[in-house]
Every structure is written in C-alpha cells, then in structure tokens.
Amino acid sequence: MSQNVISLRVSDEMKDRLDQLAAATRRPRSFLAQEALAEYLDRHGWQIAAIDEAVVAAGDGQFASHEAVADWLVSWGTEHEKQPPVAGGAAKRAR
C-alpha cells in the first residue's frame, strides 16, 4: 500500500501530548497520528453511512410519522399505553 504525506496544524499542547505519548510508547509521532486518524475514520464513517441510509429510507416513507410517535409517547405511563408505531404506517410525505 502506498503512503501519502499530509500536514496539519496542532496546538502546542496537542504536540506536547503527542510527544509524551510517543516517548512513553516508543512509537513515532507519525505512527500514533495515523492510528488516531484511522480510529476516527472508523468511528465516524459508519455514522455517515447510517445517516445516508436513513435519509433514503425516510424519503421512501419507511418511518413512523411524527404524529404517531408523539401519540405513542403521550401514552407512556398511562393505563392505556400504546404499542410503538410501525414504520410505513403513515402516508408518504409529498416531495
């Protein structure tokens, strides 16, 4: 796998923390920065994909309407608590 060089600006405090961690772990700063970036991308990449899928699903009407969810929530803790609304139970919104 080829590797590319990027540069970024960090505060003095962040650089000092990175230097301390590099010394403590006997790893180069570049290794630690690459590991941190990979973890960040893994952690946040799935969120973007999930949001994109949800937007498509909502556009296709695969969601419970606000009214159905609100009606269900109002029933919580009452003698007549309702079942959770189901996706697609409401009419599609006009586009």
Side-chain angles (χ1 to χ4, degrees):
M1 170 189 344
S2 67
Q3 295 199 348
N4 298 287
V5 175
I6 63 170
S7 74
L8 63 142
R9 297 185 191 280
V10 297
S11 67
D12 290 338
E13 177 189 358
M14 188 175 291
K15 182 187 173 294
D16 291 344
R17 291 175 61 198
L18 184 58
D19 286 340
Q20 290 170 3
L21 186 58
T25 60
R26 296 183 179 179
R27 296 279 193 175
R29 287 186 309 195
S30 61
F31 174 85
L32 297 176
Q34 185 172 340
E35 289 290 305
L37 184 56
E39 184 177 324
Y40 181 91
L41 294 172
D42 289 345
R43 185 179 326 132
H44 294 284
W46 73 266
Q47 291 174 333
I48 299 302
I51 290 168
D52 289 344
E53 289 176 23
V55 168
V56 169
D60 291 341
Q62 300 175 26
F63 61 95
S65 71
H66 170 78
E67 294 79 12
V69 172
D71 190 43
W72 171 56
L73 292 175
V74 167
S75 76
W76 281 12
T78 68
E79 292 181 19
H80 303 290
E81 187 169 320
K82 297 180 179 182
Q83 292 295 315
V86 294
K92 282 189 178 181
R93 288 183 159 180
R95 292 187 191 183

